[in-house]
Amino acid sequence: MKCFDRLGELMSGEGKHDAVMRALAALVDDHGGLGGLGQRFRDIGLGNVLDSWLDNGGNLPLTPADVYVALGEGAVGQFADMMETTSLNAAKVMAEALPELFDRLTPDGALPGREDDFARLFSSIGVLFDR
């Protein structure tokens, strides 16, 4: 299943693909790369969930509430503003997208260093959207 198979159910309108790409890139950058973003999930006790995204098995789910706890209302609001949607829809999209994003961008099972993040992000993001 592609990361955004259900994106149309959560949001509507033209140009959402580009908005989601920009919002995900900003989210990763604002949190110190995938390593920093992943650490936020470890900090709230979701290390086992993060590890499932890095391993070669199924990804454990993330809830919108987990997103709020890990990233805070400000980050969710910024993501929502970039996507021109509500914070609730943004949290739903983030909860659906982040496990797949980590899974796709960590094929070797390890979080990349910050310098590798954007090269991996933009070379792999098309796969997430099935483009």
Side-chain angles (χ1 to χ4, degrees):
M1 176 176 188
K2 297 295 178 191
C3 181
F4 294 101
D5 284 349
R6 291 192 37 230
L7 186 59
E9 296 172 22
L10 300 173
M11 302 182 59
S12 62
E14 296 296 319
K16 294 301 179 187
H17 173 270
D18 292 338
V20 172
M21 282 180 46
R22 284 191 306 275
L24 286 172
L27 182 71
V28 170
D29 188 43
D30 289 348
H31 288 87
L34 285 178
L37 191 57
Q39 187 60 46
R40 301 294 294 252
F41 293 105
R42 288 195 195 286
D43 290 347
I44 66 164
L46 294 178
N48 63 324
V49 173
L50 175 65
D51 290 341
S52 77
W53 306 342
L54 302 177
D55 291 340
N56 288 332
N59 293 333
L60 292 175
L62 188 64
T63 68
D66 294 333
V67 170
Y68 273 105
V69 171
L71 304 177
E73 191 173 321
V76 175
Q78 182 180 2
F79 194 89
D81 289 346
M82 291 185 77
M83 293 178 42
E84 299 179 355
T85 190
T86 66
S87 291
L88 180 58
N89 277 343
K92 288 178 183 178
V93 170
M94 294 165 85
E96 197 167 313
L98 288 170
E100 187 71 14
L101 181 73
F102 275 87
D103 189 48
R104 297 285 178 148
L105 298 182
T106 58
D108 57 0
L111 291 170
R114 185 169 171 80
E115 63 278 355
D116 296 330
D117 279 347
F118 283 104
R120 286 187 185 190
L121 179 64
F122 289 107
S123 68
S124 301
I125 200 90
V127 174
L128 297 174
F129 290 96
D130 199 21
R131 285 197 159 199

